[in-house]
Amino acid sequence: MRIAVIGAGLSGLSFAHASRPFADIQLFEKSRGVGGRLATRRAADHEFDHGAQFFTCRAKSLESLLKDDDFQSAVSEWQPKLVTLAPDSETFKRTWFEPHYVGVPSMTAFPKRLAGDLAISYSTQVQEISRCGQDWQLKDKSGAELGMFDWVVSAMPAPQVGMLFGTKFSEHRSVTEAQLSPCFALMVALRDRPRLNFEAAVVRQSPISWLAINNSKPSRSEPLGLVVHSSNAWATAHIDEEPTVIESQLLDALHQLIDPDSLSIQEIHLQRWRYAKVEKAIGKAFLVDEKNRLAAVGDWCLGNRAEDAFVSGRALAEHLGITLNTS
Ligand SMILES: Cc1cc2nc3c(=O)[nH]c(=O)nc-3n(C[C@H](O)[C@H](O)[C@H](O)COP(=O)(O)OP(=O)(O)OC[C@H]3O[C@@H](n4cnc5c(N)ncnc54)[C@H](O)[C@@H]3O)c2cc1C
């Protein structure tokens, strides 16, 4: 059984990792590495986890995987000094009531470990799927053929699934029910350790919703970097503005929260996440069209957390493992 998986984020990798016993898996990933929104950017000699900041582990399937010897060294708990910040307001200490995990030494360590020796074609954006007899033929942006497959599993954000599968997928209406909002990530490279009495902050009443000293996570090396996330509402309102405008507005907002003299900024970088946070999930672990042999997984199936992406991929693998072995 040849299965093409489009997208090597957590949902695609979780599906592929669990499907190896019963399928011949080929992943296609448009970027140069695995992880999707579990991402780490290297800029000059700084590193920033500029996508997901941490992940929770409520699902038994994820919990038992993380206990596995192969995965223990790729993940660690993060316990930052955490506060709530707002401009011109008192700072409040916050407490997390469950463990929050990060990849070590960077966020991509966990997806890289899941990827293991899976077959992955990088820098390959799947642009078209078409029927060729009983098989699916995939093509990239230049029209080059990527191979023939029995099944195609999409592990992309819902709007991208809609564009690629369209009405070929009997579940296309369900795909359009999911809603995702954007986020800007400002990566601030620092020369010196900032004089702050916190390491991570949830931010209120500001274009900023979150900030974190990247190096407060376990096993991060210096130099220091600050990751600043815009709120999803602010990003939605400013989605098509010039990067320089976004950068200066987020820096202004940062300076309303932190005394500019306490930050020695070396350089800044910006990332726009067009599909960052799931605002409305569809409430099913995955979507599957058995007749056409198409399926979709992703965080947007179940929620808005990295863990939801993992659970979605794993659930489809379990479903297809049973279905394909009994058909
Ligand atoms: C800024 C930000 C902060 C976040 N913070 C947290 C947090 O603190 N905690 C938490 O639990 N979650 C957080 N999340 C959400 C979390 O990152 C996601 O839920 C999870 O990573 C989604 O995984 P996925 O596999 O469903 O999708 P993705 O990670 O988006 O993976 C999809 C993959 O498909 C690839 N792709 C897309 N189109 C194509 C194509 N045509 N051909 C080939 N490849 C393609 C993409 O390059 C990508 O690698 C955050 C996300 C963002 C952006």
Side-chain angles (χ1 to χ4, degrees):
M1 184 65 53
R2 295 153 304 161
I3 303 183
V5 181
I6 308 173
L10 201 51
S11 62
L13 292 171
S14 160
F15 170 79
H17 183 263
S19 300
R20 288 171 308 168
F22 65 87
D24 176 8
I25 303 282
Q26 174 66 50
L27 285 123
F28 297 98
E29 169 53 52
K30 74 176 175 185
S31 67
R32 283 175 297 158
V34 296
R37 282 170 276 161
L38 280 194
T40 305
R41 165 93 68 97
R42 282 169 192 82
D45 45 0
H46 289 72
E47 274 195 359
F48 304 91
D49 299 326
H50 61 310
Q53 295 298 290
F54 49 74
F55 55 92
T56 49
C57 181
R58 297 173 197 169
K60 286 273 168 263
S61 54
L62 182 56
E63 190 186 1
S64 59
L65 186 85
L66 295 187
K67 283 186 182 148
D68 189 297
D69 287 347
D70 282 350
F71 287 87
Q72 271 182 14
S73 60
V75 171
S76 188
E77 191 179 344
W78 181 36
Q79 297 173 307
K81 280 184 218 153
L82 184 67
V83 297
T84 303
L85 280 184
D88 306 319
S89 301
E90 213 179 316
T91 300
F92 293 100
K93 188 171 178 290
R94 280 177 82 99
T95 309
W96 276 335
F97 294 102
E98 64 184 322
H100 286 55
Y101 297 97
V102 294
V104 287
S106 68
M107 213 56 186
T108 48
F110 177 44
K112 277 183 184 160
R113 201 60 63 90
L114 263 180
D117 57 1
L118 287 165
I120 306 178
S121 298
Y122 293 105
S123 307
T124 306
Q125 181 167 349
V126 179
Q127 186 81 5
E128 189 191 321
I129 62 164
S130 55
R131 273 274 181 225
C132 192
Q134 286 297 301
D135 295 338
W136 284 108
Q137 166 74 265
L138 271 56
K139 289 187 181 158
D140 73 7
K141 278 204 294 189
S142 66
E145 294 178 358
L146 299 171
M148 308 277 254
F149 299 90
D150 301 299
W151 275 81
V152 182
V153 172
S154 161
M156 305 178 284
Q160 295 171 326
V161 186
M163 280 185 268
L164 187 67
F165 280 7
T167 53
K168 295 180 182 97
F169 190 31
S170 65
E171 292 281 3
H172 68 276
R173 272 186 201 286
S174 301
V175 173
T176 60
E177 282 166 21
Q179 288 170 15
L180 285 90
S181 62
C183 175
F184 289 103
L186 188 70
M187 293 156 266
V188 184
L190 300 172
R191 283 193 198 87
D192 307 308
R193 184 165 288 277
R195 293 188 301 280
L196 300 175
N197 57 0
F198 62 87
E199 292 169 324
V202 173
V203 182
R204 308 278 186 226
Q205 298 155 38
S206 164
I208 294 173
S209 65
W210 168 264
L211 47 95
I213 305 286
N214 206 68
N215 311 62
S216 65
K217 296 177 182 176
S219 306
R220 266 63 177 174
S221 53
E222 303 226 345
L224 288 152
L226 182 66
V227 173
V228 176
H229 282 166
S230 75
S231 74
N232 302 104
W234 191 86
T236 303
H238 295 79
I239 188 71
D240 290 321
E241 274 173 31
E242 286 297 316
T244 48
V245 175
I246 299 294
E247 284 173 2
S248 95
Q249 294 194 16
L250 288 179
L251 266 186
D252 284 350
L254 182 63
H255 289 150
Q256 287 185 18
L257 298 163
I258 299 176
D259 175 4
D261 292 340
S262 63
L263 291 177
S264 55
I265 298 178
Q266 183 180 327
E267 57 188 43
I268 56 172
H269 304 271
L270 186 76
Q271 161 92 19
R272 181 182 66 180
W273 294 102
R274 187 173 280 281
Y275 305 116
K277 183 181 177 199
V278 178
E279 300 291 348
K280 187 173 167 228
I282 61 164
K284 295 177 190 166
F286 54 82
L287 294 173
V288 64
D289 174 351
E290 316 269 358
K291 183 163 168 271
N292 291 308
R293 297 196 309 279
L294 294 174
V297 293
D299 56 351
W300 53 273
C301 290
L302 286 169
N304 58 20
R305 295 172 304 128
E307 188 177 2
D308 296 312
F310 177 86
V311 171
S312 172
R314 178 60 78 95
L316 178 68
E318 281 164 12
H319 173 82
L320 286 189
I322 294 165
T323 316
L324 299 179
N325 281 332
T326 52
S327 61

